[in-house]
Amino acid sequence: MTISDGRGRVYVVATPIGNLEDVGARALRVLAEVARIACEDTRHTARLCSRHGIRTPRVSLHAHNEARRCAELLALLESGESVALVSDAGTPLISDPGERLVRAALDAGFEVVPVPGPTAAVAALVASGLPTRPFAFLGFLSRKGRARREELALCAAFPGSLVLYEAPARVERTLADLHAALGPRRVAICRELTKRHEQVLRGRLGELQLGELRGEVTLVVEGAPADSGPAPDGDADARIDELLADGLSARDAARELARELGLPRRDAYARVLRRRG
Ligand code: SAM
């Protein structure tokens, strides 16, 4: 692999989610050989770099300066230099900054090269004991309101494992909301993966007693059971189309559909949202 061959590229480099040994030889070589490392927090990435003797200049790239920083990094790419993009932990763009830089580089005709490695979502999924196919990655749910209700309704309908990120202080609230929306499904609470106090609690929504949780947490929840609603059929979809065409809101259409088809209201709501796209 040639990193500095005069063609500017963006390398999207995954870094450890806790255990600093979880970094591959290719990631280290890329970080050492590019002209600049764009970091979520330069001080955080400094620890990884100093451990491996990497002296590449670092610049910050986060939600608040991504637009301005993109312009600077594109200028560097134009001059034939390459850039590595990292976040504080795991894979950039996975609930982390970087999407704008990747998009801008692609739009300007530069190559974007993944350097894969850890991500808490996949680590949690494979340790959960729940089916890995299909799975949906939700990242962080919206904190409240309609957006959160709609996301929970989509969770209720999805037929595969659900992977969610959550801040420790909000885990109990989110587990309670998932229980209310999904019922007593199996869940794995994956805490501090790859770190000294790594812990995976497996049980059912509504049953696990958590107490105070510290550290980083990823949740994996069982998907909708196969019999959780009528199989998709043209009649139900056609009825949803009629109700929406009559000007009913998604919520009112779901109420009507649930009444007509004898469905749980949350399943009807999920179907209406899916149909509405
Ligand atoms: N880009 C990262 C990745 O690829 O996993 C995720 C960044 S997101 C801002 C941070 C969230 O990821 C945390 O709130 C937690 O939900 C999850 N997370 C990160 N590290 C973790 C770990 N070691 N164990 C469990 N969950 C973790």
Side-chain angles (χ1 to χ4, degrees), residues 17-18 40 87 89-96 118-121 140 164-168 190-195 216-218:
I17 56 169
E40 193 178 357
S87 61
T91 301
L93 282 78
I94 301 300
S95 294
D96 265 343
T119 181
F140 294 91
L164 301 102
Y165 288 160
E166 194 48 285
C190 307
R191 203 174 71 82
E192 293 287 87
L193 295 173
T194 79
K195 303 185 198 178
E216 312 229 53
V217 176
T218 297

Side-chain angles (χ1 to χ4, degrees), residues 73-235:
L73 294 171
L74 281 182
L76 205 60
L77 296 172
E78 297 282 359
S79 73
E81 301 280 12
S82 285
V83 169
L85 170 67
V86 299
S87 61
D88 283 354
T91 301
L93 282 78
I94 301 300
S95 294
D96 265 343
E99 224 166 283
R100 191 191 280 250
L101 176 63
V102 165
R103 198 57 263 163
L106 291 174
D107 288 347
F110 296 103
E111 248 185 277
V112 172
V113 182
V115 182
T119 181
V122 173
L125 179 65
V126 299
S128 68
L130 293 167
T132 55
R133 192 175 150 265
F135 77 89
F137 172 65
L138 283 297
F140 294 91
L141 291 181
S142 300
R143 291 215 154 183
K144 54 186 177 185
R146 182 176 167 185
R148 186 172 173 96
R149 281 196 302 279
E150 291 186 354
E151 288 160 9
L152 286 165
L154 285 174
C155 286
F158 184 70
S161 300
L162 303 156
V163 183
L164 301 102
Y165 288 160
E166 194 48 285
R170 297 183 51 87
V171 168
E172 259 193 302
R173 166 87 262 157
T174 292
L175 286 170
D177 287 353
L178 286 165
H179 182 219
L182 279 58
R185 291 198 200 161
R186 288 187 293 160
V187 62
I189 302 169
C190 307
R191 203 174 71 82
E192 293 287 87
L193 295 173
T194 79
K195 303 185 198 178
R196 185 197 300 254
H197 298 295
E198 176 176 281
Q199 185 183 32
V200 181
L201 299 164
R202 298 178 186 82
R204 286 191 176 272
L205 289 170
E207 286 174 0
L208 287 172
Q209 297 298 315
L210 294 182
E212 192 190 342
L213 269 189
R214 297 223 180 111
E216 312 229 53
V217 176
T218 297
L219 303 172
V220 186
V221 185
E222 182 179 22
D227 62 355
S228 69
D233 65 71
D235 287 354

Side-chain angles (χ1 to χ4, degrees), residues 1 3 11-13 23-32 113-116:
M1 177 186 59
I3 290 160
Y11 292 90
V12 182
V13 182
V23 63
R26 181 165 171 244
L28 293 176
R29 188 148 86 82
V30 168
L31 293 178
V113 182
V115 182

Side-chain angles (χ1 to χ4, degrees), residues 39 41-52 54 58:
C39 318
D41 178 342
T42 51
R43 288 162 304 178
H44 192 97
T45 304
R47 285 201 280 280
L48 181 70
C49 287
S50 75
R51 186 184 166 114
H52 295 282
I54 293 168
R58 293 178 292 270

